[in-house]
Amino acid sequence: LDNNNLQDLFPDIHNCSALVRLSLSNNLFLCLPHQLARISSLSKLVLDNNPLTSPPLEIRSSGTAKILDYLRRFDNAFSTRYLDLENMGLQAFPLEVAALTGLRGLNIAGNQIEVLPTVIANLQGLELLKIDNNRMQLLPVELGNICGLKELTFEGNDLRTPPSEILEQGTFSIVEYLKRMLWSRKNKELDLRSLQLRRTPVEVAFMTGLTKLSLASNHLQKIFVGIGQLTLLVELLLDDNEIQTLPLTVGKLTNLTTLSVAHNKIKHLSEWLHTLIPLTSLNVSDNLLQELPFTLLRLTNITHLNVDSNSYPDPPREVVTSGQKRIFRYLSNLQTSQTTNRLDLNSMGLLRFPLVHCSRTALTALNLDDNELQDLPHELMALTNLTSITVKRNRLTRLDLRLGYLSHLETFETEG
């Protein structure tokens, strides 16, 4: 059949049961029909000078027996719904596989395939996928569309994504991860909560169109520096991890309106915090914070602030739990006192005087009016430059006589 510009063979070619040699040179064939494999007598195929794409070149160059073996496997798949292409020497995923939409199982193990193409998502009925011992470094997110996939084997590949902690959890977690990654392409929101992640997946740094990112309820100890590239983020949720510090690059997320890092191990809030001007909600509760920075005062759009359950001695718990307005007023008064040496803590709901301020020996005036104080600590004696103390409208029941050693004290008011 040489030199005829043929594109297809007649449908009943497989009925040529005595055919031994078939020459199709110098035609226009793009693919060979799988029915050829049914001709048991066929031992020689001549295919020169055709624009063939299937079988792949590596199959065609291995001779007639290999070609017929390849076609036979496809022919069997139509009845068994299982395509076995293991150890076929394939260098790329055969795209014709994607047309077998009825497949339940696919085995491409033991080849040299580097990429699993996105058309794999056409196999919606796939329940078993074997890709062991290839050269793949990633799984396409489109696998997340195959919701019925029950078993995925991938040993012998150097997979970089999904992360190893996802791969260790097995097929269900892998498909779930890929499904979430795929979904983020559509709605620009990536939810990676509760996936037992130990590190941020490297591909997240390149998802620059994201507006919302949740990495909550994992096992992260740090956040990747590349997060600063996600400049469109408006919501970042990092709760319930083991994070000890936030990278400086978070300060580049100048569109953030919500930042939540509750239930971590953070000891300090970075100075870059003031760059997050649009922030309306900040939750840093249940961490190991030693103090609240004055930079909080520059977040003028904050409407929800939770800094409860931390380690700092100041502000006192009664201030922290009484709401944002009092917290901000407390911090503002502390900041002012650094230049005036006059500390105003009136109407703060204080149950005890914060001992941390007893080391501020430059203070000259102390206003503790309208609190719930029952006594004044003797540690105030260290504030030797005090000239004025006012503790009106408290619940004082006694005063430590040692306060009389404050030699510069001129005013001491305790009315009410």
Side-chain angles (χ1 to χ4, degrees):
L1 299 176
D2 297 339
N3 306 305
N4 283 295
N5 292 326
L6 296 175
Q7 299 182 30
D8 297 296
L9 290 172
F10 51 92
D12 296 331
I13 184 69
H14 60 280
N15 290 328
C16 300
S17 56
L19 188 64
V20 175
R21 185 178 188 276
L22 177 61
S23 182
L24 301 173
S25 298
N26 301 309
N27 281 288
L28 300 174
F29 288 100
L30 293 174
C31 60
L32 295 179
H34 58 84
Q35 292 89 343
L36 283 177
R38 301 179 191 175
I39 306 175
S40 57
S41 59
L42 187 61
S43 60
K44 182 63 176 178
L45 278 171
V46 182
L47 304 170
D48 300 325
N49 298 318
N50 280 279
L52 285 167
T53 59
S54 176
L57 177 60
E58 56 268 32
I59 300 295
R60 301 196 307 271
S61 61
S62 297
T64 299
K66 190 79 167 183
I67 294 172
L68 293 175
D69 183 23
Y70 182 86
L71 294 176
R72 188 176 296 110
R73 297 183 185 218
F74 272 82
D75 196 47
N76 291 339
F78 281 93
S79 58
T80 64
R81 294 190 174 188
Y82 178 80
L83 178 58
D84 183 2
L85 295 178
E86 185 172 3
N87 296 321
M88 291 295 289
L90 295 170
Q91 296 179 9
F93 183 88
L95 294 181
E96 58 265 35
V97 173
L100 304 178
T101 55
L103 281 183
R104 293 289 181 267
L106 174 61
N107 182 359
I108 56 172
N111 288 287
Q112 300 172 37
I113 299 171
E114 295 183 359
V115 177
L116 200 58
T118 59
V119 293
I120 190 73
N122 291 358
L123 308 179
Q124 287 291 302
L126 208 60
E127 297 177 358
L128 169 65
L129 176 59
K130 295 186 176 183
I131 62 172
D132 310 86
N133 301 311
N134 277 280
R135 298 179 177 179
M136 300 181 195
Q137 292 189 344
L138 60 85
L139 296 178
V141 296
E142 286 76 13
L143 271 180
N145 267 337
I146 307 179
C147 300
L149 190 62
K150 298 177 181 177
E151 183 177 355
L152 170 65
T153 64
F154 48 85
E155 295 299 324
N157 287 281
D158 187 21
L159 290 176
R160 308 294 175 84
T161 181
S164 58
E165 53 266 49
I166 298 295
L167 297 175
E168 291 165 3
Q169 295 175 55
T171 302
F172 177 82
S173 294
I174 293 171
V175 173
E176 176 65 21
Y177 175 87
L178 295 173
K179 180 169 63 175
R180 296 189 193 189
M181 297 295 283
L182 181 63
W183 181 249
S184 72
R185 291 183 178 180
K186 301 176 182 178
N187 64 6
K188 307 301 180 184
E189 300 177 7
L190 180 56
D191 181 2
L192 296 181
R193 288 177 295 176
S194 305
L195 291 177
Q196 301 184 43
L197 293 171
R198 297 188 293 270
R199 57 185 175 86
T200 309
V202 292
E203 57 266 38
V204 175
F206 303 100
M207 302 172 72
T208 55
L210 288 179
T211 59
K212 295 183 180 181
L213 173 61
S214 176
L215 291 165
S217 302
N218 284 291
H219 302 296
L220 304 176
Q221 294 185 355
K222 60 182 180 179
I223 299 299
F224 63 117
V225 174
I227 196 170
Q229 298 172 205
L230 309 183
T231 55
L232 298 182
L233 280 183
V234 296
E235 180 176 287
L236 178 58
L237 307 180
L238 304 171
D239 311 288
D240 298 296
N241 279 286
E242 301 166 21
I243 301 168
Q244 299 180 23
T245 184
L246 292 175
L248 293 174
T249 49
V250 175
K252 296 181 179 180
L253 306 180
T254 54
N255 286 304
L256 270 188
T257 59
T258 299
L259 174 59
S260 188
V261 290
H263 313 295
N264 278 284
K265 299 180 179 180
I266 298 172
K267 295 182 178 181
H268 302 283
L269 288 179
S270 301
E271 291 301 315
W272 48 253
L273 196 62
H274 72 276
T275 65
L276 307 181
I277 300 300
L279 209 60
T280 58
S281 177
L282 175 63
N283 188 350
V284 292
S285 62
D286 196 14
N287 275 278
L288 301 175
L289 293 177
Q290 302 298 309
E291 61 180 359
L292 291 180
F294 293 138
T295 48
L296 276 178
L297 298 172
R298 299 171 69 174
L299 301 179
T300 56
N301 292 305
I302 286 282
T303 57
H304 175 76
L305 176 66
N306 189 345
V307 294
D308 198 10
S309 301
N310 276 282
S311 302
Y312 39 63
D314 193 55
R317 177 172 174 76
E318 54 267 33
V319 174
V320 168
T321 57
S322 60
Q324 172 191 326
K325 286 186 177 180
R326 184 169 286 178
I327 294 171
F328 273 37
R329 187 165 67 86
Y330 188 93
L331 291 176
S332 179
N333 289 359
L334 287 188
Q335 188 176 39
T336 299
S337 72
Q338 290 185 344
T339 55
T340 65
N341 290 323
R342 303 177 66 86
L343 180 57
D344 182 359
L345 297 181
N346 79 88
S347 302
M348 294 292 180
L350 295 177
L351 300 175
R352 298 177 183 81
F353 180 78
L355 295 181
V356 66
H357 300 302
C358 291
S359 62
R360 299 183 56 192
T361 56
L363 286 177
T364 60
L366 188 58
N367 183 349
L368 300 172
D369 293 343
D370 299 297
N371 283 289
E372 304 292 329
L373 299 174
Q374 295 185 18
D375 59 27
L376 293 177
H378 67 84
E379 286 86 353
L380 281 177
M381 291 172 53
L383 304 180
T384 55
N385 288 304
L386 279 179
T387 61
S388 173
I389 299 178
T390 173
V391 286
K392 295 180 290 186
R393 294 175 296 281
N394 276 275
R395 298 185 178 184
L396 293 177
T397 57
R398 64 185 180 85
L399 290 174
D400 194 309
L401 295 178
R402 285 173 289 184
L403 294 176
Y405 290 109
L406 296 173
S407 59
H408 292 89
L409 196 62
E410 300 174 356
T411 304
F412 189 89
E413 300 184 22
T414 61
E415 296 178 7

